[in-house]
Amino acid sequence: MGSIGQFALIVIPILIVYGMTSFILGIVKKEKRWISSGKRAIIGIVFLATIASAILIYLLVTDNFNYQYVISYSSTDMDLFYKIAAFWGGNAGSMLLWFWMLSIFILIVAYTKHKDSELMLPYVLSISLFVALFFSIILLFVAPPFELATYVATDGNGLNPLLQNPGMATHPITLYLGYVGFTIPFSYALAALWLRKADGVWLKVTRKWTIISWLFLSMGILYGARWSYVELGWGGYWAWDPVENAAFMPWLVATAFLHSAMIQEKKGMFKKWNVILIVISYLLVLFGVLLTRSGILWSVHSFSNGPIGAYFLAFIGILFVLSFGLIILRWSDLKTEHQFEAAVSKESSFLVNNLLLIGVCFTVFWGTIYPLISEFITGNKVMVGAPFFNRVSVPVFVFLILLMGICPLIAWRKSTISNLKRNFIIPFVTLIIAGMFSVIFGVRGIIQILSISSSAFVLCTIGIEFFNGMRARKRLTDEGYILSALKLISKNRRRYGGYIVHIAIVIMAIGVTISSTYSSEVQKMVMPYEELQIGPYKLTFQEIAQQNDKLGITTYADFLVNKNEEDIGVIRPEKIHFSNGLQPATEIAIYSTFTDDLYVVLAGWDELTGAAAVQVNVNPLVSWIWFGSGLLIVGSLIAIWPDRRRDTVI
């Protein structure tokens, strides 16, 4: 079976080269038969990539230890679920998954009809296939998934225990869908530049591609934060780890692109911004792959330290030169149709938004690569920790939140004094009141108070927008407020879906602000039946015990939990020692409510006395982050949901 998969990987680059050649001949000769032939080649690529992926999964599920990848990432005692997850648990498998997704996306684009599709698609598909060619070469020569084992093995090493978590079924998949999806807007941007058609057509065509990619990247980041919170046992969800940063940087730039794209569509402005932003977004995606798989920076998320990083670095360099060379060549075609008419306008607020997002991205980029620069210059790798990122980035994020509330209140082109007074008075009063209540309820620190009050400002602004829309619609249709709200969202999905996303981000911002500032922690060695008090929780240690299963020995500690004099039940943190000698895994016990999380980690124990060493955290409002994550998905889906109705009301 593996030889069939390997044969598929050998044929794929041949088909890619044939497809690219067909599209180029179709462009030069202006013959549709060549374009059609290139599209059929893409069908063949998808078919072969699907075959190769299915075979690798089959080898993992059937414990075929004749192959090195199966030995490295699977074992006979693993559950079926994790054997399938091993498909993307290693370098070669994850690259195959990436290529398979990319080939499907290219196929979808090949048979999509839109304005100028006949003109643009040959160029778009040629660029996309060029990217696919690189990944096919990686699979063939650098990270081959069907490499035969050099020794006889009866069992494998198994999947990393940290990856044996249900969240790993969603985190990598959503992250890859986001990463891979940005290939399409990138290809369209370069095609539009080459064709001197840098108007709003390519933006409209790729809008849903961009939002979907942004959504999946957001989900990947948030699911990764959730995985870190429940699996790693350090009590937090974001550590500014290099690989976390690698996913966050393209998200920041893509967020800036989504906002400035609206200005180009409406006003014909920001053309230069948009092509540069989408190019940088995709280059940062590849940079993230470089960090994850090269081993040049230590990370709990890293895959390997093999030679693959050098190939990605070279490919990033090639795309950088080609992309920015084309941008410079077509610079005169990116003229703005309209100029700024006033410093205080919706257009200028979008520009400030872009500058802030790019500024944060540069800060994160600099902090991430600084250890490499310091090692190159001084010979010592100086790591940059979370305090640097928090000190520089958090104030900017607070201002970005405030800007989310300011932008809807400002008029297009130019805002008058009377307009500003009328629109800002209620949100401004809300900001002041929220700041006062924050202080009264014990919030300390200027940044924390500003974060809470700015969040209240945004919620008030969006609430006013919803209320005004509902009231106007109710006057026209005589519908109830709830029905008016639903119809308002349904008939203006892009606008109000965006507002829901902003509400989600504000909710998450409140959760991050409070949980990161006011979390409490106790580390203690407790004896049987000893009580431990932290915040409103009282934990009574019962016993420490062990149980054996097919994975190894699980040691657990039982605690009776009481909150505000009310019995909650028993929670059980665990430590698993695997029989195959892999690094022990920690299973955290979490009792989560709307207001806080009780977070208990079993750090160690004394077999003679029966004592347990535990770390107990009370993390306030963490559930708001996960609730906001779900709301963000809902808002994004509303914004991209197809609407075939042309007539809208309000």
Side-chain angles (χ1 to χ4, degrees), residues 13 44 60 70 108 133 154 164 172 180 209 212 234 240 262 347 360 374 385-386 391 401 442 445 449 467 601:
L60 289 165
V70 182
I108 294 171
L133 179 63
T154 58
Q164 294 190 38
V180 175
W209 276 105
I212 290 171
W234 61 285
W240 296 105
M262 291 189 293
E347 294 91 331
V360 173
S374 67
R391 185 168 57 251
I401 292 171
I449 294 171
F467 177 76
V601 182

Side-chain angles (χ1 to χ4, degrees), residues 70-75 77-78 156-161 164 580 582:
V70 182
I71 295 175
S72 299
Y73 300 103
S74 186
S75 62
D77 57 6
M78 279 171 50
N157 300 327
L159 194 63
N160 187 326
Q164 294 190 38
N580 56 9
L582 292 173

Side-chain angles (χ1 to χ4, degrees), residues 463-518:
I464 291 173
E465 287 287 303
F466 268 96
F467 177 76
N468 288 339
M470 287 188 299
R471 183 174 59 182
R473 182 178 176 85
K474 188 175 184 300
R475 287 173 180 172
L476 290 175
T477 62
D478 201 30
E479 298 169 343
Y481 278 108
I482 295 178
L483 182 59
S484 294
L486 294 176
K487 289 290 186 69
L488 190 71
I489 295 171
S490 175
K491 292 180 179 294
N492 300 270
R493 295 177 185 178
R494 184 175 180 182
R495 179 182 181 183
Y496 288 98
Y499 282 154
I500 293 172
V501 170
H502 284 179
I503 292 172
I505 291 174
V506 166
I507 290 172
M508 287 189 285
I510 295 173
V512 170
T513 299
I514 299 301
S515 63
S516 61
T517 307
Y518 298 102

Side-chain angles (χ1 to χ4, degrees), residues 9-39:
L9 296 183
I10 292 172
V11 176
I12 281 173
I14 298 173
L15 279 180
I16 292 175
V17 172
Y18 174 80
M20 293 173 61
T21 305
S22 296
F23 290 127
I24 293 171
L25 288 174
I27 293 169
V28 174
K29 296 186 176 183
K30 295 181 171 56
E31 294 183 7
K32 292 185 178 180
R33 62 187 182 92
W34 284 111
I35 305 299
S36 298
S37 182
K39 290 181 178 180

Side-chain angles (χ1 to χ4, degrees), residues 396-406 450-451 454-458 505-506 509-510 513:
V396 181
F397 283 129
V398 172
F399 191 74
L400 278 167
I401 292 171
L402 185 63
L403 199 60
M404 283 196 299
I406 292 174
L450 287 175
S451 177
S454 297
S455 298
F457 178 84
V458 176
I505 291 174
V506 166
I510 295 173
T513 299

Side-chain angles (χ1 to χ4, degrees), residues 259-495:
H259 287 82
S260 62
M262 291 189 293
I263 301 300
Q264 182 174 337
E265 286 186 45
K266 291 179 179 293
K267 300 293 182 179
M269 303 171 69
F270 292 3
K271 291 183 179 180
K272 296 182 178 72
W273 263 104
N274 287 325
V275 293
I276 291 173
L277 287 174
I278 201 61
V279 166
I280 293 176
S281 295
Y282 192 64
L283 293 179
L284 287 173
V285 163
L286 297 176
F287 179 72
V289 181
L290 169 67
L291 283 184
T292 309
R293 289 161 177 80
S294 65
I296 58 175
L297 290 173
W298 181 89
S299 168
V300 70
H301 307 77
S302 292
F303 273 86
S304 70
N305 55 1
I308 195 171
Y311 290 87
F312 270 93
L313 185 61
F315 188 57
I316 292 170
I318 292 170
L319 289 186
F320 180 89
V321 171
L322 293 177
S323 301
F324 280 95
L326 185 57
I327 290 172
I328 294 170
L329 189 66
R330 296 290 190 262
W331 193 255
S332 60
D333 297 317
L334 299 173
K335 292 180 180 178
T336 297
E337 297 173 11
H338 299 89
Q339 301 296 327
F340 287 103
E341 297 185 26
V344 182
S345 65
K346 200 178 291 289
E347 294 91 331
S348 62
S349 69
F350 274 84
L351 177 61
V352 174
N353 175 79
N354 276 11
L355 291 172
L356 291 174
L357 286 168
I358 297 303
V360 173
C361 181
F362 177 78
T363 299
V364 176
F365 180 80
W366 176 253
T368 303
I369 67 169
Y370 183 78
L372 301 177
I373 296 174
S374 67
E375 184 179 32
F376 178 77
I377 295 175
T378 66
N380 298 317
K381 184 177 288 188
V382 179
M383 300 303 294
V384 177
F388 166 79
F389 294 105
N390 290 331
R391 185 168 57 251
V392 178
S393 301
V394 171
V396 181
F397 283 129
V398 172
F399 191 74
L400 278 167
I401 292 171
L402 185 63
L403 199 60
M404 283 196 299
I406 292 174
C407 185
L409 302 176
I410 301 177
W412 291 101
R413 298 175 60 186
K414 183 179 181 180
S415 292
T416 63
I417 298 297
S418 60
N419 171 267
L420 294 175
K421 286 181 178 178
R422 183 175 62 254
N423 291 344
F424 272 86
I425 184 166
I426 295 177
F428 182 74
V429 170
T430 302
L431 183 146
I432 298 299
I433 293 175
M436 293 172 59
F437 272 96
S438 297
V439 174
I440 292 172
F441 283 100
V443 177
R444 297 293 181 266
I446 296 297
I447 294 298
Q448 288 77 14
I449 294 171
L450 287 175
S451 177
I452 299 299
S453 56
S454 297
S455 298
F457 178 84
V458 176
L459 292 175
C460 178
T461 299
I462 297 175
I464 291 173
E465 287 287 303
F466 268 96
F467 177 76
N468 288 339
M470 287 188 299
R471 183 174 59 182
R473 182 178 176 85
K474 188 175 184 300
R475 287 173 180 172
L476 290 175
T477 62
D478 201 30
E479 298 169 343
Y481 278 108
I482 295 178
L483 182 59
S484 294
L486 294 176
K487 289 290 186 69
L488 190 71
I489 295 171
S490 175
K491 292 180 179 294
N492 300 270
R493 295 177 185 178
R494 184 175 180 182
R495 179 182 181 183

